[in-house]
Amino acid sequence: MMLDIPDVTKKWDHRYLQLAAIVATWSKDPSTKVGAVIVRPNRTVVSLGYNGFPRSVRDDGALYNDRPTKLLRTVHAEANAILTAGQSVKGCTIYVSPLHPCATCAGLIIQSGISRVVAYMPSKPIAWEHSFAAAQEMFDEARVVVNVTTEVTNVSPVI
């Protein structure tokens, strides 16, 4: 479900997408770095997450460079943000950069009660195309509002 966004909301969306882009840099994954920020309706941050291995498991470069192993072990940014929130995220917005949530994360987002997704996605990776389409279909069915931007200037992290 796509809606027109007021300018003040666009300003805050821009800020939180910038934050998600910064959080993405914390990932140890050499090929894909994703960040997520969950924000309450009053615009305060609930939680941050990035893609990486679970706590307390071996977390070295050799495992990240072995793609099949990496894919089996990685907890996505959206899941990490939801799991580390420590409180209900019902009615919150999740900001994700630089990918649209996959179908599995869409299920977690819907089940957790998040009501809006804002994603920065500069390009559509062909390998994930089917998962992104399934995610969008689920979001539509669950009436989760989704806003996607492809404009690089909107999310350049200021470091």
Side-chain angles (χ1 to χ4, degrees), residues 83-156:
L83 290 168
T84 60
Q87 62 183 326
S88 172
V89 292
K90 186 174 183 175
C92 290
T93 297
I94 188 166
Y95 294 86
V96 184
S97 178
L99 294 172
H100 188 287
C102 70
T104 300
C105 288
L108 294 172
I109 290 166
I110 292 164
Q111 287 296 90
S112 70
I114 289 172
S115 59
R116 182 169 177 247
V117 175
V118 180
Y120 165 61
M121 194 165 70
S123 63
K124 288 186 179 180
I126 294 170
W128 292 95
E129 192 172 36
H130 183 70
S131 183
F132 294 159
Q136 186 59 58
E137 184 177 340
M138 292 188 326
F139 286 140
D140 289 344
E141 290 171 10
R143 292 187 168 86
V144 173
V145 175
V146 177
N147 302 109
V148 178
T149 183
T150 58
E151 298 174 28
V152 176
T153 56
N154 283 347
V155 294
S156 301

